[in-house]
Amino acid sequence: MSPWATVQDDSQLTGRPLVVPGAGPYGGDLEIPEPLVTGGKKWADVDRDICMHAERFPTRRWWLAFGVALALLGVLVVSLAVLIYSGMGVVGVNHPVGWGTFIINFVFWIGIGHAGTLISAVLYLFRQPWRTGINRAAEAMTIFAVACAGIFPIIHLGRAWFAYWLVPYPNARGPLWVNFTSPLAWDIFAISTYALVSIAFWYLGLLPDLATVRDRATHPWRRRLYNALSFGWTGSQRMWRHYEAAYMILAGLATPLVFSVHTIVSFDFATSVMPGWHTTIFPPYFVIGAIFSGFAMVITLMTFMRGYFGMKNYITTNHMEAMAKILMFTGMMVGFAYTTEFFMAWYSGSEWEGFVFKNRAFGPYGWAYAIMFTCNAIVPQLFWWKKLRRHTWVLFTVSILVNVGMWFERYVIVVTSLHRDYLPSSWGMYSLTFWDYSILIGSFGLFFTLFLLFVRVLPVVAISEVKGVMDPRVARSAPTDSGAAAVTAGAAPGA
Amino acid sequence: MMPTSTRGLLGHFCTPDEALAAAARVRDAGYRHFDFLTPFPVHGMEEAMGQKRSWIPWVTGVLAICGILFALGLQYWAMVFDWPLNHGGKPFNAWPAFIPITFEAMVFWAALGSAVVAVIAGKRDTIPQPPPLLVETGATVDRFVLWISATDPRWEPAEVEAFVRSLGANGVRFVDVSGGNDA
């Protein structure tokens, strides 16, 4: 039997491996890590536990959450209608801060998405088996975050109805092309590629699980629907062979893609000549900040999934602790980048750079800088303590603070460089109006509406991947020679 | 062409290790028209079943090159021939500035193309009589189902059944489904 057969519950996990002295290679210690799935689950239980949420009528709690999310989505729709109807004047962007709320929110949401790709692709390449519990929901988060992000640059155009002009295609406006050497054109390619490749990667991962949902379905139409969605997946080894190859390749392609996307987003700033933006540190600084903010959002969402969807056996405290470690590590890198910026501003000897950074930390927007630095660089230091890494409320609170801090990071970057540039006579201040706030809050409505719909119709945990990391000695079904009848009982919905 | 009936033998195993050992013995016994249905990918199954590595990486490589050429070609043609604009006296063929879009196009073609081709290849790469999609086999739940098709040159019902039983398979039974590979 497995040495961990006694671990029945998430609360019994310690986060430490079982050490068997002298049992390892060359007479060393053998360390047996704790199981990734607790509760003595069998493979058949996984199907039921995970598909259950999509197979029953929504709970009152779900309706409540969905109602709130829909109301916020309504706020977004109204805000966008007002923005497009009245024009950009209703929000705070004006001279000299022409890049306000839209660019802040765009970079914020794109950054959130990056953790999903990191979990699904980078941790896959690094062979981290704990990713299996969270990758499906994290990838969904990526897609929904990119959907939110996509709104903002389009609105920022001012005339959103001409957004298709950004796409290069042979047109009747003369030989008129986008400027392919502009970072804003790079953005179009980067974001749309990122969105589509993320969807393809996510859907490829879903195929075997859609087949599982199909095989559990009792209604013939549900069965047909999920059969079509899974492209008639049978689980044949001849399918798995190509599937596994493609999955590995997509992971390999998504990894440089995710780095390129936020690099290109940072080029929007770095290729300008603004002090505080025109720095070579921007690409790595943006990428690591994106991963940092995304992991915070994953922790926020996983806390809800553990609590409200009863996923504690699949997303265990050990998973949360692993994410807390990544959050602390990336938080330190972000803090290091903040400090490096100051060093470089001083070391460059450039008067403008020096002024911008003094103004950033101690000028009129010093309060935003303080929020940013505290939330991103100082608060995650709590995770040096194992007890705090494994404490649900501490994790949740820190994840929220990091989300706030990362929003302010983008606020600081966008606003402080623009509001006081080379010419003191052009200096000004920037403040958010009612519509700035409503569009930000409304974008959360879109995000949560999509996420809540996702948990209703699709398996929220990658069933086939979780099964692969479970101990067969615990998870196997009882051998039986009676064939069909016994197996049917295991596969029946709600069994 | 859809066969009017699918005939063959089913037997299942309860763990990936048993399935791997069985696959190797089926391969060594000389069977060719057989398949395994598994709820999750079993590592080492390709070798155990005597399959070659998937050729999908070649598709990825070719598509990646297509993506690079397409993006570079479009940008070069548009910026140099069709609509050359003088940006501060910089060269029309500003190739370093074409790299980001070229990279994104490479990933776009390679990733989406590989995903689509892999799904189609998985459906088409099959034995003359693929295993019927039977829910009660539990192949998407917790069963590692061995299927030997009646089209196999070595097909001899009594012999096959005895052989599969000797592998330690559970629930061994003959299947004869009309209508081919259908749910």
Side-chain angles (χ1 to χ4, degrees), chain A residues 87-122:
Chain A
M88 299 281 276
V90 297
V91 291
V93 283
N94 209 327
H95 180 80
V97 182
W99 277 19
T101 187
F102 304 117
I103 302 299
I104 296 168
N105 292 329
F106 162 66
V107 181
F108 173 74
W109 278 115
I110 280 287
I112 298 271
H114 279 37
T117 318
L118 189 94
I119 289 168
S120 56
V122 181

Side-chain angles (χ1 to χ4, degrees), chain A residues 71-87 90-91 102 151-152 155 434-443:
Chain A
L72 292 179
L73 179 60
V75 171
L76 180 70
V77 172
V78 170
S79 310
L80 291 179
V82 168
L83 260 169
I84 291 171
Y85 183 78
S86 312
V90 297
V91 291
F102 304 117
I151 294 171
F152 291 102
I155 298 301
F434 173 82
W435 298 108
D436 287 298
Y437 289 112
S438 72
I439 197 170
L440 168 63
I441 293 166
S443 65

Side-chain angles (χ1 to χ4, degrees), chain B residues 123-169:
Chain B
K123 296 286 284 183
R124 299 191 65 88
D125 173 15
T126 184
I127 50 182
Q129 215 177 224
L133 197 53
L134 293 168
V135 179
E136 66 265 42
T137 59
T140 55
V141 186
D142 52 5
R143 298 292 202 236
F144 301 80
V145 180
L146 168 64
W147 161 260
I148 297 181
S149 163
T151 56
D152 194 279
R154 288 181 51 100
W155 179 262
E156 185 59 55
E159 194 186 308
V160 172
E161 189 187 3
F163 173 66
V164 173
R165 282 195 193 283
S166 76
L167 297 173

Side-chain angles (χ1 to χ4, degrees), chain A residues 101-175:
Chain A
T101 187
F102 304 117
I103 302 299
I104 296 168
N105 292 329
F106 162 66
V107 181
F108 173 74
W109 278 115
I110 280 287
I112 298 271
H114 279 37
T117 318
L118 189 94
I119 289 168
S120 56
V122 181
L123 296 184
Y124 179 77
L125 298 179
F126 282 128
R127 297 274 186 268
Q128 293 295 307
W130 61 272
R131 70 179 264 290
T132 54
I134 54 173
N135 73 333
R136 172 69 42 74
E139 283 170 50
M141 177 195 81
T142 294
I143 294 163
F144 305 149
V146 173
C148 292
I151 294 171
F152 291 102
I154 291 173
I155 298 301
H156 189 63
L157 296 173
R159 281 180 279 180
W161 50 95
F162 289 134
Y164 63 94
W165 285 10
L166 293 165
V167 182
Y169 63 97
N171 54 62
R173 303 188 293 272

Side-chain angles (χ1 to χ4, degrees), chain A residues 175-177 179 186 215 223 231 235-242 249 257 260 464 467 477 480-481 487, chain B residues 34-36 38 40 49 51-52 54 60 77 79 82-83 97 104 123 125 135 140-143 170-171:
Chain A
L176 190 59
W177 293 97
N179 180 3
W186 302 346
D215 288 353
R223 202 176 149 70
F231 301 135
S236 155
Q237 169 59 23
R238 287 159 205 278
M239 286 183 176
W240 280 121
R241 182 166 78 108
H242 298 298
I249 283 166
L257 176 65
S260 82
S464 68
K467 283 179 181 170
S477 59
T480 164
D481 211 25
V487 189
Chain B
F34 73 101
D35 204 347
F36 256 95
T38 59
F40 54 85
M49 282 176 60
Q51 292 175 325
K52 283 191 217 137
S54 172
T60 312
W77 175 74
M79 301 291 281
D82 203 41
W83 200 40
E104 301 301 330
K123 296 286 284 183
D125 173 15
V135 179
T140 55
V141 186
D142 52 5
R143 298 292 202 236
N170 303 297

Side-chain angles (χ1 to χ4, degrees), chain A residues 273-279 341-359 421-422:
Chain A
V273 291
M274 294 299 291
W277 286 1
H278 188 62
T279 59
E341 277 190 320
F342 270 84
F343 172 76
M344 290 312 294
W346 166 74
Y347 192 65
S348 68
S350 158
E351 198 180 324
W352 314 106
E353 285 287 325
F355 168 76
V356 158
F357 281 94
K358 259 179 252 163
N359 181 55
D421 65 0
Y422 298 99

